[in-house]
C-alpha cells in the first residue's frame, strides 16, 4: 500500500531542458498567462473562467494537499513557466492516480517539452512513489497529446463518448493509462 500522504514534500524534478518545480504563488505570472489562453481552455475542457484572485488562492494552497502533486513546468534556459502538471484523484489503496498536463506560450509546442514533463512525472509516480497505475483522459480532437502519452507508455483503454460539449459540438474523451509493469519507451 502507498501511504496516503505520498505526495507530501514532492521534489523538484529536472532534465537538461525543463524543471518540474512544486507549484507555489511564485509561479503566478506563468500560470495566469496559461489559463487565459483560449486553446488551453479548449484542450482541457475548462468551461469556467478563471479569476486572478482564484488562481492566486489556488496556488497558495498547493503545498497543503498531500493527496496530490502539482508542479510548474519551467524552461531551464530562460526560467519561463510554460505550463503545469498534476497528479490528482490519488487512490492510495489501489496505488493509482490521475494525471494532467497543460502547456502554453510562444515557442512551446513541437519541442518535446510535453513529452519530457510527462516522462518525468510518470517516472516519479511509478518508480519513486511506488504507484501501480497512472491514468488520464484526452479529448478526441487532441491527437498531439495522444502521441505524447503513447510515447510515454500510456495505453488506450476506452472511450467516454460525448464527454465534452464545446462550441456547439460533442467530443469523446479517450481514457489512457500506464502501469508500473508496462514498458515505457525512451
Amino acid at each position: 500500500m502507498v501511504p496516503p500522504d505520498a505526495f507530501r514534500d514532492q521534489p523538484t524534478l529536472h532534465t537538461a531542458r525543463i524543471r518540474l518545480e512544486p507549484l507555489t504563488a511564485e509561479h503566478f505570472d506563468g500560470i495566469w498567462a496559461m489559463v487565459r489562453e483560449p486553446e488551453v481552455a479548449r484542450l482541457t475542457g475548462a468551461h469556467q473562467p478563471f479569476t486572478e484572485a482564484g488562481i492566486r488562492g489556488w496556488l497558495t494552497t498547493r503545498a497543503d494537499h498531500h493527496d496530490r502533486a502539482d508542479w510548474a513546468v519551467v524552461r531551464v534556459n530562460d526560467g519561463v513557466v510554460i505550463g503545469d502538471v498534476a497528479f490528482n484523484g490519488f487512490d492510495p489503496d489501489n496505488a493509482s492516480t490521475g494525471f494532467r498536463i497543460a502547456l502554453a506560450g510562444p515557442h512551446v509546442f513541437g519541442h518535446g517539452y510535453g513529452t519530457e514533463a510527462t516522462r518525468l512525472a510518470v517516472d516519479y509516480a511509478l518508480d519513486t512513489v511506488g504507484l501501480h497505475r497512472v491514468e488520464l483522459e484526452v479529448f478526441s480532437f487532441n491527437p498531439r497529446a495522444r502521441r505524447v502519452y503513447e510515447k510515454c507508455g500510456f495505453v488506450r483503454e476506452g472511450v467516454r463518448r460525448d464527454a465534452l460539449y464545446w462550441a456547439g459540438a460533442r467530443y469523446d474523451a479517450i481514457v489512457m493509462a500506464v502501469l508500473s509493469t508496462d514498458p515505457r519507451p525512451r
Side-chain angles (χ1 to χ4, degrees), residues 4-176:
D5 64 349
F7 290 122
R8 178 190 304 269
D9 305 323
Q10 68 251 20
T12 296
L13 308 172
H14 56 85
T15 68
R17 297 182 332 132
I18 63 165
R19 282 189 313 272
L20 301 186
E21 298 177 356
L23 201 53
T24 69
E26 293 175 17
H27 300 107
F28 172 78
D29 290 338
I31 299 302
W32 179 239
M34 181 186 70
V35 301
R36 292 177 38 204
E37 288 280 333
E39 184 69 355
V40 170
R42 185 178 79 88
L43 293 173
T44 60
H47 288 287
Q48 76 281 3
F50 294 101
T51 66
E52 184 176 337
I55 295 299
R56 286 188 189 282
W58 182 78
L59 288 171
T60 63
T61 65
R62 295 307 83 208
D64 300 334
H65 295 273
H66 307 301
D67 61 341
R68 61 178 290 140
D70 295 276
W71 287 278
V73 181
V74 180
R75 203 166 37 208
V76 169
N77 68 341
D78 59 9
V80 170
V81 174
I82 60 172
D84 73 326
V85 298
F87 291 122
N88 52 23
F90 175 49
D91 180 349
D93 294 325
N94 291 303
S96 69
T97 192
F99 175 74
R100 71 159 189 77
I101 181 170
L103 299 177
H107 314 295
V108 171
F109 298 114
H111 296 283
Y113 297 124
T115 301
E116 283 184 46
T118 300
R119 280 190 178 134
L120 273 176
V122 167
D123 288 351
Y124 175 74
L126 299 179
D127 300 337
T128 302
V129 175
L131 297 182
H132 177 66
R133 177 184 171 85
V134 177
E135 64 187 31
L136 59 83
E137 289 184 352
V138 59
F139 296 117
S140 55
F141 56 73
N142 195 350
R144 180 178 60 209
R146 285 196 318 256
R147 283 192 302 277
V148 165
Y149 301 140
E150 289 165 353
K151 285 194 287 189
C152 295
F154 284 85
V155 174
R156 181 183 170 132
E157 294 186 330
V159 175
R160 293 181 53 237
R161 298 178 308 140
D162 287 353
L164 175 69
Y165 183 73
W166 193 268
R170 296 196 181 277
Y171 299 94
D172 294 344
I174 298 164
V175 179
M176 302 179 80

